[in-house]
Amino acid sequence: MNNFTYSIPTKIHFGKGQIKHLNELKENGNKVLLVYGSGSIKRAGIYDQALEILKDNQIKVFELSGVEPNPRIETVRKGVQICKDNQIDMVLAIGGGSTIDCSKVIAAASLYEQDAWDLVIHPEKIKGALPVYVVLTLSATGSEMDPFAVISDLTLNEKLGTRAPCLNPTMSILDPTYTFSVPAKQTSAGVADMMSHTLENYFNNVSGSEMQAGFSESILRCCIKYGPIALKEPDNYDARASLMWCSSFAINGTIKCGCEVKWCIHPMEHELSAFYDITHGQGLAILTPVWMEYVLNEKTASRFAQMARNVFMIQELDDLKAAQKGIQALKQFFFDTMKLPKTLREVGICEKDNFEIMAKKAASKCAGSFVPLTQKDIVEIFNRAF
Amino acid sequence: MNNFTYSIPTKIHFGKGQIKHLNELKENGNKVLLVYGSGSIKRAGIYDQALEILKDNQIKVFELSGVEPNPRIETVRKGVQICKDNQIDMVLAIGGGSTIDCSKVIAAASLYEQDAWDLVIHPEKIKGALPVYVVLTLSATGSEMDPFAVISDLTLNEKLGTRAPCLNPTMSILDPTYTFSVPAKQTSAGVADMMSHTLENYFNNVSGSEMQAGFSESILRCCIKYGPIALKEPDNYDARASLMWCSSFAINGTIKCGCEVKWCIHPMEHELSAFYDITHGQGLAILTPVWMEYVLNEKTASRFAQMARNVFMIQELDDLKAAQKGIQALKQFFFDTMKLPKTLREVGICEKDNFEIMAKKAASKCAGSFVPLTQKDIVEIFNRAF
């Protein structure tokens, strides 16, 4: 096992009715910026519930709505302006990963004198942030319990991740009933996203990290069990609850500690989203099995075989054969069971013009991953995914 | 899944050489009470290393040594006196669970006007505590990453657990090399302790908690893999590191969240330790399989069978048979592989005089457990363990 520091400062209130804990915001002040995306939180009644609790606790609410699925730097800048103009004490994100990520960078940039984009491209410049609170409405990115934020500048074709310990939310409310109304397409993409986070951590070669690997396998089995149930019965509580808690544990640091490697699927997908604004989880689902097939060899086979046996319960003694069957099982799960798109063309990427530039940018970010990838490798992966 | 609140405020620095992080103590003041047990930390060189770092950071050190394996309230009182007399800012425990538990109650009672024992019998009276720091030297109780402390008053035959969020250590240093010198007997008892914590959490009937159950199974498999290696090769880094991290995760809240039940083996063992001062982990190893056999029936069989299949890899389709084989496998692991004592007589409990009173006290503490136990049940379990 490698050395590591483990710290999860976010407090989680999990379950039905936990929104009452929004009263804890008053510990940090009396002016909040409420950030959300579309009107879905209004239709679901969450917006009214939240406003009532905030009002009861004498907290004044400022609002920023319209956060995009791949949140834009322009929206961050709007939020920062509101915070600076009104001496806001904290930020409350009600939504999924995009809203949370946007809120995190607003929280940091509100304490920064220059432009918010600086903090996206230079994480080390983040020296502090307003406290961030979350009410989660989509199980996917795990941003409710991690120090990361991904922001896009589509004018530059850039989608970049930033991180800082102070970006960990202070408190997140995870009420699975808030995800009952999530449409099938987003449910599937969310499951692909959390499985991808898990796999990015799982594919490593660090000895003595069996406990963490077993945790990853448990998350993956849970996604495979409950993903289809959530599609068929959108208001199945155990399914929505399990997926919600899996999404947090896929990225909160637990499964990677002591065996951290650089991720490689995410950097590739971020380029697709940056150039074509596609749904993140769908891009990951398309790329993951293609990547696995591309890097499968005698050296990597044992880990893929372990996934096949412990996640998909494939009884096959030969590592290479087991690995191949595992990849097939993953494809079947993503594309047949969860109805995720299978090719880049299916998500609207119908030209190969940007493969070289996207691959070049991605290659620069995945040095040190489970299997090192060059620009040429990534172009080939894009081609096979086309 | 049930509602829950999840919060792990302890920061962990894990790995070789992490003791350097003792410099972080200066964030909380410049006077520390150093608490430890025997002289083993001096022989291992940890004591000198720690003192040097504290000195380099201008932190004045006061000392309390001689903490007992089942830490006594008298020792807590001595520590409290030192803290109150010298306006100590924080407590640093260097040792295993006993030293940490003792330090936690010292930290709380130093901010309490009356007797420390009050805080053991009335956890709700704990309103605050000095910051507690830990350098761990024994993998067992998980106290380095939890809000619990167990203290004994042997004059009253009482061994009681107390808890409060403020008892979570601020920061714990987990350097597996510090456990290379732990003798076989303590290594075995520690493995039994962490496995018992895991099993107490694992044996529940809450639906939708597969992720947590899978985490528990991973911890158990890891103990089964690395326990024997640590006995044979005491300085095997991966073995010591895996056991150390398992000990923390067995009790830090992760595997119980959403499916918490009252524990029942621990209350029984606490009575044995309170009356006979035996080694905690040994008592747990003796009682656990006896309890499993006692409560095994058609209703409980499926969970025991799940353990048999997913932890001991027993291929048996019938639940009852699988459960029985699983219990046999656990016995074999504890008593043959890990050389733990098998009966109460082997740990020096050679009379049955106190079975009724011990059972009465234990029964009052395990209401709401996986299988409810009466005083009569517990007497029978003690008899079978005799």
Side-chain angles (χ1 to χ4, degrees):
Chain A
M1 213 188 303
N2 299 335
N3 281 13
F4 61 88
T5 291
Y6 186 83
S7 171
I8 300 192
T10 305
K11 184 199 277 185
I12 302 289
H13 293 298
F14 191 102
K16 294 174 201 171
Q18 297 284 35
I19 198 166
K20 64 185 179 205
H21 289 284
L22 280 183
N23 67 358
E24 293 176 20
L25 268 68
K26 64 171 180 269
E27 294 164 15
N28 268 311
N30 57 15
K31 280 196 269 186
V32 67
L33 177 68
L34 170 60
V35 181
Y36 56 100
S38 67
S40 63
I41 66 160
K42 292 188 177 171
R43 287 190 297 278
I46 308 169
Y47 176 86
D48 286 341
Q49 266 186 297
L51 281 197
E52 197 182 325
I53 297 167
L54 296 171
K55 193 181 156 195
D56 287 350
N57 288 277
Q58 286 82 48
I59 295 167
K60 190 171 177 196
V61 178
F62 297 76
E63 287 193 28
L64 174 71
S65 64
V67 178
E68 308 80 5
N70 286 311
R72 316 281 169 85
I73 189 64
E74 293 84 356
T75 312
V76 170
R77 290 188 185 117
K78 276 190 215 165
V80 172
Q81 201 56 51
I82 300 173
C83 288
K84 289 187 174 174
D85 289 349
N86 300 283
Q87 292 86 49
I88 297 287
D89 298 310
M90 57 214 157
V91 183
L92 169 60
I94 304 186
S98 304
T99 299
I100 304 169
D101 285 4
C102 183
S103 300
K104 286 177 175 178
V105 183
I106 291 171
S110 295
L111 302 182
Y112 182 70
E113 295 204 347
Q114 295 168 57
D115 182 49
W117 187 248
D118 279 2
L119 305 183
V120 178
I121 51 177
H122 296 295
E124 71 283 2
K125 291 192 178 174
I126 302 176
K127 300 295 179 202
L130 299 175
V132 174
Y133 293 86
V134 171
V135 177
L136 188 65
T137 63
L138 181 71
S139 304
T141 70
S143 187
E144 66 277 7
M145 205 176 178
D146 77 21
F148 309 110
V150 180
I151 301 294
S152 295
D153 186 336
L154 294 185
T155 64
L156 305 173
N157 287 133
E158 293 280 14
K159 176 175 177 175
L160 293 171
T162 187
R163 65 178 296 171
C166 63
L167 297 187
N168 279 292
T170 301
M171 182 264 280
S172 290
I173 290 166
L174 275 57
D175 183 336
T177 66
Y178 292 165
T179 63
F180 284 178
S181 59
V182 171
K185 184 187 149 185
Q186 265 75 35
T187 299
S188 289
V191 169
D193 195 12
M194 61 185 91
M195 288 179 73
S196 175
H197 296 157
T198 309
L199 291 168
E200 297 257 30
N201 288 309
Y202 181 66
F203 292 125
N204 70 71
N205 283 313
V206 180
S207 72
S209 61
E210 286 89 345
M211 186 187 91
Q212 297 88 320
F215 285 14
S216 293
E217 291 160 2
S218 184
I219 293 170
L220 293 168
R221 286 194 304 268
C222 223
C223 292
I224 291 166
K225 172 172 181 176
Y226 284 113
I229 297 177
L231 286 188
K232 275 180 215 132
E233 307 165 32
D235 56 357
N236 183 304
Y237 186 81
D238 277 343
R240 293 296 194 177
S242 293
L243 293 176
M244 194 169 241
W245 203 215
C246 279
S247 78
S248 301
F249 265 82
I251 202 169
N252 72 10
T254 303
I255 60 173
K256 80 171 179 190
C257 56
C259 51
E260 191 169 9
V261 288
K262 265 285 177 77
W263 292 11
C264 63
I265 316 287
H266 273 69
M268 290 191 273
E269 196 294 319
H270 283 178
E271 296 309 319
L272 299 179
S273 285
F275 278 78
Y276 300 99
D277 202 16
I278 68 169
T279 301
H280 178 54
Q282 295 186 339
L284 294 168
I286 294 166
L287 292 174
T288 302
V290 175
W291 168 80
M292 289 173 76
E293 284 174 338
Y294 185 77
V295 301
L296 175 60
N297 58 36
E298 291 201 344
K299 214 180 125 199
T300 58
S302 69
R303 194 59 159 189
F304 291 148
Q306 186 183 337
M307 178 200 77
R309 293 180 190 123
N310 297 347
V311 176
F312 291 103
M313 306 305 157
I314 286 165
Q315 309 271 336
E316 165 61 61
L317 293 177
D318 180 75
D319 273 0
L320 204 59
K321 283 183 195 160
Q324 285 161 339
K325 287 182 184 178
I327 298 170
Q328 282 312 311
L330 182 65
K331 281 183 176 179
Q332 207 171 349
F333 177 73
F334 278 166
F335 308 128
D336 298 343
T337 309
M338 298 304 288
K339 315 279 184 218
L340 285 153
K342 200 173 174 171
T343 63
L344 296 180
R345 271 175 297 191
E346 283 180 59
V347 292
I349 302 178
C350 301
E351 48 162 48
K352 297 185 171 188
D353 302 12
N354 294 310
F355 281 12
E356 287 289 346
I357 175 70
M358 294 193 301
K360 188 178 174 189
K361 291 168 82 176
S364 71
K365 286 169 208 149
C366 58
S369 62
F370 178 57
V371 177
L373 296 177
T374 63
Q375 179 179 349
K376 202 178 140 200
D377 293 322
I378 297 174
V379 168
E380 178 58 22
I381 289 168
F382 286 152
N383 272 317
R384 294 189 189 184
F386 187 65
Chain B
M1 213 187 306
N2 300 334
N3 281 13
F4 62 88
T5 291
Y6 185 82
S7 171
I8 300 192
T10 304
K11 185 199 277 185
I12 301 290
H13 294 297
F14 191 102
K16 293 173 200 169
Q18 297 283 35
I19 198 165
K20 65 185 178 204
H21 290 283
L22 280 182
N23 66 357
E24 293 176 19
L25 268 70
K26 64 172 179 271
E27 294 164 14
N28 268 310
N30 58 15
K31 281 196 268 185
V32 67
L33 177 67
L34 170 61
V35 181
Y36 57 100
S38 67
S40 63
I41 65 160
K42 291 189 177 171
R43 287 191 297 280
I46 308 170
Y47 176 86
D48 286 341
Q49 267 187 297
L51 282 197
E52 195 182 326
I53 296 167
L54 295 170
K55 193 180 157 198
D56 286 350
N57 287 278
Q58 287 83 46
I59 295 167
K60 191 171 176 193
V61 178
F62 297 77
E63 286 195 29
L64 174 72
S65 63
V67 178
E68 309 79 6
N70 285 312
R72 316 280 169 84
I73 189 63
E74 294 84 356
T75 311
V76 171
R77 290 186 185 116
K78 275 190 217 166
V80 173
Q81 200 57 51
I82 300 173
C83 288
K84 288 187 174 175
D85 289 349
N86 300 283
Q87 292 87 48
I88 296 288
D89 298 310
M90 56 212 158
V91 182
L92 169 61
I94 305 186
S98 305
T99 299
I100 304 168
D101 286 3
C102 183
S103 300
K104 286 176 175 178
V105 183
I106 291 171
S110 295
L111 301 183
Y112 182 69
E113 293 202 348
Q114 296 168 57
D115 183 49
W117 186 247
D118 279 1
L119 304 183
V120 178
I121 52 177
H122 296 295
E124 72 282 2
K125 291 191 178 174
I126 302 176
K127 300 295 179 203
L130 298 175
V132 174
Y133 292 85
V134 171
V135 177
L136 187 65
T137 64
L138 180 70
S139 304
T141 70
S143 188
E144 66 276 8
M145 205 176 178
D146 77 22
F148 309 111
V150 180
I151 301 294
S152 296
D153 187 336
L154 295 185
T155 64
L156 305 173
N157 287 131
E158 293 280 14
K159 177 176 177 175
L160 295 170
T162 188
R163 65 178 294 170
C166 63
L167 297 186
N168 280 293
T170 301
M171 181 265 280
S172 290
I173 290 166
L174 275 58
D175 183 337
T177 66
Y178 292 164
T179 64
F180 284 178
S181 59
V182 172
K185 184 186 150 185
Q186 265 76 35
T187 299
S188 290
V191 169
D193 196 13
M194 63 185 90
M195 288 179 73
S196 174
H197 295 158
T198 310
L199 291 169
E200 297 258 29
N201 288 310
Y202 181 66
F203 292 125
N204 70 71
N205 282 314
V206 180
S207 72
S209 60
E210 286 89 345
M211 186 187 91
Q212 297 89 319
F215 284 14
S216 293
E217 291 161 1
S218 184
I219 293 171
L220 293 168
R221 286 193 304 268
C222 223
C223 291
I224 290 166
K225 172 173 180 176
Y226 284 114
I229 297 176
L231 287 187
K232 275 180 214 133
E233 306 165 32
D235 57 356
N236 183 305
Y237 186 82
D238 276 344
R240 294 296 195 178
S242 293
L243 292 176
M244 193 169 241
W245 203 214
C246 279
S247 78
S248 301
F249 265 83
I251 202 169
N252 71 10
T254 303
I255 60 174
K256 80 172 179 191
C257 56
C259 51
E260 191 169 9
V261 288
K262 265 285 176 78
W263 291 11
C264 62
I265 317 286
H266 273 70
M268 291 191 273
E269 196 293 321
H270 283 178
E271 296 308 319
L272 299 179
S273 284
F275 278 79
Y276 300 100
D277 202 16
I278 68 169
T279 300
H280 178 55
Q282 294 186 339
L284 294 168
I286 294 166
L287 292 174
T288 301
V290 174
W291 167 80
M292 289 174 76
E293 284 174 339
Y294 185 78
V295 302
L296 175 60
N297 58 37
E298 290 201 346
K299 215 180 124 200
T300 58
S302 68
R303 193 60 158 188
F304 290 148
Q306 187 183 338
M307 177 200 78
R309 294 181 189 121
N310 296 347
V311 176
F312 291 102
M313 306 305 156
I314 286 166
Q315 309 271 333
E316 165 61 62
L317 293 176
D318 180 76
D319 273 359
L320 205 59
K321 282 184 196 160
Q324 285 161 340
K325 286 182 185 177
I327 298 170
Q328 282 311 310
L330 182 65
K331 281 183 175 178
Q332 207 171 350
F333 177 74
F334 277 167
F335 308 129
D336 299 342
T337 307
M338 298 304 289
K339 314 282 184 215
L340 284 153
K342 200 173 174 171
T343 64
L344 297 180
R345 272 177 296 193
E346 284 180 58
V347 292
I349 302 177
C350 300
E351 47 162 51
K352 297 185 172 188
D353 304 11
N354 294 311
F355 280 11
E356 287 289 347
I357 175 69
M358 292 193 301
K360 188 177 175 190
K361 291 168 82 174
S364 72
K365 287 169 209 149
C366 58
S369 62
F370 178 57
V371 177
L373 296 177
T374 64
Q375 179 179 349
K376 202 177 140 202
D377 292 323
I378 297 174
V379 168
E380 179 57 22
I381 289 168
F382 286 152
N383 272 318
R384 294 189 188 184
F386 187 66

